[in-house]
């Protein structure tokens, strides 16, 4: 996958086009974020529909590298609360590990994300968060 292909993926994510985003993953891909298994289309869409009902989340790519079997990037995830998302609501969804956010609050996280590839599709993804910027 080249930078232009990844930019299309990132744009689909920013546009909340969950089916297009999920189509970038190979069948059986390992998709886990912060302990949440998003390995099938329904789980993926359910999680992001819930999250994006409370926040606007955007990815800004700052550094990008790719080969036939790996995409690696550094970027900033910006999360802006559009509706209060408190600890009780997160807990009810089984998302205790997430940080509550109030309407109007902005959180920015530097992330390092690695995608493993096979035949141009993501087979796994892992990310590390270094903290708020």
């Amino acid at each position: 996958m080249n930078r232009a292909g990844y930019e299309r993926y990132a744009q689909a994510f920013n546009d909340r086009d969950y089916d297009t985003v999920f189509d970038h993953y190979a069948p059986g891909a390992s998709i886990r974020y912060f302990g949440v298994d998003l390995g099938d289309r329904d789980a993926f869409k359910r999680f992001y529909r819930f999250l994006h009902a409370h926040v606007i989340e955007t990815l800004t790519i700052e550094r990008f590298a790719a080969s036939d079997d790996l995409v690696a990037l550094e970027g900033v995830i910006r999360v802006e609360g559009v509706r209060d998302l408190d600890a009780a609501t997160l807990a009810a969804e089984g998302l205790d590990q997430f940080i509550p956010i109030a309407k109007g609050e902005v959180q920015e996280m530097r992330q390092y994300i690695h995608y493993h590839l096979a035949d141009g599709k993501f087979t796994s993804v892992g990310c590390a968060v270094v903290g708020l910027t």
Side-chain angles (χ1 to χ4, degrees):
M1 177 176 292
N2 61 22
R3 175 73 184 249
Y6 189 84
E7 291 279 357
R8 286 189 295 277
Y9 167 81
Q11 187 61 53
F13 179 82
N14 288 341
D15 290 343
R16 314 296 174 253
D17 183 351
Y18 306 122
D19 282 316
T20 297
V21 171
F22 197 83
D23 287 345
H24 283 79
Y25 289 89
S30 174
I31 310 168
R32 294 186 59 82
Y33 292 112
F34 309 106
V36 179
D37 184 358
L38 306 177
D40 68 56
R41 189 176 299 268
D42 289 338
F44 188 90
K45 289 169 75 170
R46 185 174 46 256
F47 171 78
Y48 278 111
R49 282 186 180 137
F50 167 77
L51 183 65
H52 292 155
H54 294 87
V55 302
I56 296 170
E57 180 182 16
T58 54
L59 165 64
T60 301
I61 302 164
E62 294 181 333
R63 290 174 182 79
F64 178 90
S67 68
D68 289 340
D69 62 356
L70 178 72
V71 169
L73 66 96
E74 177 182 341
V76 173
I77 302 290
R78 182 181 190 276
V79 180
E80 179 181 353
V82 293
R83 194 170 135 201
D84 288 346
L85 182 54
D86 60 25
T89 303
L90 287 165
E93 291 291 322
L95 302 173
D96 300 349
Q97 67 275 43
F98 286 78
I99 299 169
I101 187 169
K103 181 179 179 179
E105 181 182 351
V106 173
Q107 299 171 357
E108 289 189 338
M109 298 159 274
R110 178 158 308 285
Q111 289 191 353
Y112 298 91
I113 308 170
H114 283 184
Y115 301 84
H116 292 182
L117 294 165
D119 299 321
K121 298 270 189 174
F122 302 136
T123 59
S124 69
V125 59
C127 69
V129 176
V130 226
L132 299 177
T133 56

